[in-house]
Amino acid sequence: MKLSPESEAVVAATAGVVAAHAERITKVFYPAMFAAHPELLRVFNRANQAIGEQPKALAASVVAFAVQLIDPSAPDFTPVMRRIAHKHVSLGISAGDYTIVGRHLLDAVGTVLGDAVTAEVRAAWDEVYWLFATALIAEEARLYALSGTDPQNPWRDYRVVERFEESEDIFSLLLAPVDGLIPSHRTGQYVAIAVDLPDGSRQPRQYTISSGPRGDSIRVTIKRVHGAGGAPDGQVSTWLWQHAQPGTVLDVSQPAGDVVLDDEGHPLVLVSAGIGITPVAAIMEDLSRRQPARTVRLFHADRAHDTHALYASLRRQVLAMPDARAQNWYERDALGAPTLHPAREGFMDLSEVDLPEHASVFMCGPLPFMQSMRRTLIGRGVPADRIHYEVFGPDLWAQNPEAA
């Protein structure tokens, strides 16, 4: 994948200017695109738009991709591309959407940079965009085909079979397809659930499949989001908390996600915080059935034991595995918490915990938490390429994890 020589020279000369204005460009781009194509609001997360995370992620992605095209020593963009493609198929993005995005994105570049965007500059960045888009379109077509999903009809009806209250604001839904077989999925993947909200809008959100492969159903575990600092409550999580009861039919995407459990047998270190426990729960359910002898260390941080979702099932799985150990940190009431090993008070600290040799690390939780844990683990000698993470919403870390 290469730029033409003419475009490469132009992009090399203008990449710094575009990068410096990238976030401003995307802030112009999104409102203009949504004004012309309001139907795309059914795909994009309005909350991420409101707080600015989606524009930042798009800006970082396009600039990082362009830099890779002109600088052979730049980090490989393929892992980021693969992750974006998985998120797109979970949201039902189609090839035709890229034409709309490309036109409005290039218009926004012209609006922000003005006369600096000559015909040659626009043509060069149009070439960058279409190399970016065609790579994603190809990967997304492959993922749709592997799952047997029609990109024009990406949503499938699932019925809520059971609901479990995990804590005051966390609940699990057991979902089964209304028609046909459940699609296969890999442990650690997620689905999107799209709901029609009272204001007439439609919004999707991604939730980890918190169970291992079962063959007849999947479990998702959801935290009702309370707004903080003047922000509104989570629209989709609140709707599901209020309305998703046994018998409710929901629109669910195909399973997606590239951070998945492997079968190599090497030790695993699972690091999570809050609702980030969900992929850990899926991994432990799978391991306890298929690889019970595998060495596993679980490190989890939460507000308190009573907000620690899925604890009972995790406890059973740890007890069933001879070389599984768990350590929890609680911000309050750690003393006397009924955990297998005494819980520690305060924030997670991995500086002195037992780390098996040659372990792979899987992390899920708030981005600052994962960045902090990554720094500690690298400081203890864990290679960066053995530390994997999952984050929902725009991935602001993927473009430059070394900054952590």
Side-chain angles (χ1 to χ4, degrees), residues 29-371:
F29 151 71
Y30 277 113
M33 182 179 70
F34 291 144
H37 295 275
E39 71 276 10
L40 291 180
L41 286 167
R42 297 165 65 86
V43 174
F44 287 83
N45 184 321
R46 292 190 302 188
N48 290 332
Q49 292 290 323
I51 62 178
E53 289 186 351
Q54 187 67 52
K56 290 178 184 177
L58 176 63
S61 296
V62 173
V63 169
F65 180 78
V67 168
Q68 179 194 247
L69 292 175
I70 61 176
D71 181 2
S73 66
D76 182 12
F77 194 74
T78 304
V80 180
M81 186 77 73
R82 188 179 302 119
R83 175 160 292 195
I84 294 170
H86 275 275
K87 293 194 179 291
H88 282 183
V89 299
S90 78
L91 297 171
I93 299 292
S94 69
D97 295 331
Y98 284 93
T99 300
I100 297 170
V101 169
R103 182 173 68 253
H104 287 280
L105 185 59
L106 268 294
D107 286 349
V109 172
T111 298
V112 171
L113 299 184
D115 293 341
V117 182
T118 63
E120 292 77 14
V121 170
R122 182 177 178 112
W125 281 94
D126 185 67
E127 189 175 336
V128 169
Y129 173 78
W130 278 107
L131 287 173
F132 180 72
T134 52
L136 282 171
I137 290 168
E139 178 63 11
E140 289 158 22
R142 185 183 74 88
L143 294 174
Y144 282 131
L146 286 174
S147 291
T149 299
D150 177 1
Q152 300 305 312
N153 297 285
W155 301 99
R156 212 173 147 193
D157 288 345
Y158 278 66
R159 181 173 285 110
V160 178
V161 178
E162 291 186 76
R163 173 173 171 145
F164 308 94
E165 306 302 328
E166 307 288 354
S167 70
E168 182 179 356
D169 287 317
I170 298 175
F171 57 100
S172 293
L173 302 175
L174 195 65
L175 305 173
V178 171
D179 295 306
L181 299 174
I182 194 162
S184 62
H185 80 275
R186 298 187 66 186
T187 302
Q189 290 191 304
Y190 53 84
V191 293
I193 298 176
V195 303
D196 296 313
L197 298 167
D199 64 2
S201 65
R202 180 177 173 86
Q203 281 283 277
R205 295 292 185 273
Q206 294 153 329
Y207 299 107
T208 302
I209 300 172
S210 60
S211 55
R214 296 181 173 186
D216 60 352
S217 63
I218 59 173
R219 181 184 67 189
V220 293
T221 302
I222 300 166
K223 180 179 180 180
R224 181 173 59 148
V225 176
H226 293 285
D233 292 344
Q235 291 180 305
V236 176
S237 65
T238 299
W239 190 96
L240 291 169
W241 183 78
Q242 293 172 339
H243 300 289
Q245 299 294 336
T248 303
V249 175
L250 301 171
D251 285 343
V252 179
S253 75
Q254 71 176 59
D258 63 327
V259 182
V260 295
L261 176 64
D262 62 65
D263 292 326
E264 295 177 9
H266 49 66
L268 286 177
V269 174
L270 307 176
V271 180
S272 57
I275 198 62
I277 195 69
T278 51
V280 171
I283 290 170
M284 288 301 294
E285 181 177 307
D286 192 356
L287 289 176
S288 65
R289 288 200 298 240
R290 296 192 305 115
Q291 301 180 58
R294 195 160 175 179
T295 297
V296 184
R297 298 293 180 266
L298 285 78
F299 303 117
H300 180 69
D302 224 307
R303 293 198 305 273
H305 184 69
D306 61 8
T307 64
H308 187 160
L310 305 169
Y311 175 80
S313 59
L314 285 163
R315 179 188 177 101
R316 288 193 300 270
Q317 290 147 9
V318 169
L319 287 170
M321 298 175 65
D323 197 14
R325 305 285 184 274
Q327 178 63 60
N328 301 303
W329 284 258
Y330 297 139
E331 293 177 35
R332 58 176 172 81
D333 302 329
L335 185 64
T339 53
L340 280 175
H341 302 285
R344 299 181 185 179
E345 191 88 24
F347 299 117
M348 183 182 289
D349 181 1
L350 299 182
S351 60
E352 296 182 358
V353 299
D354 168 42
L355 294 177
E357 291 187 4
H358 311 300
S360 285
V361 179
F362 184 102
M363 299 193 298
C364 190
L367 196 56
F369 163 82
M370 293 194 293
Q371 291 172 327

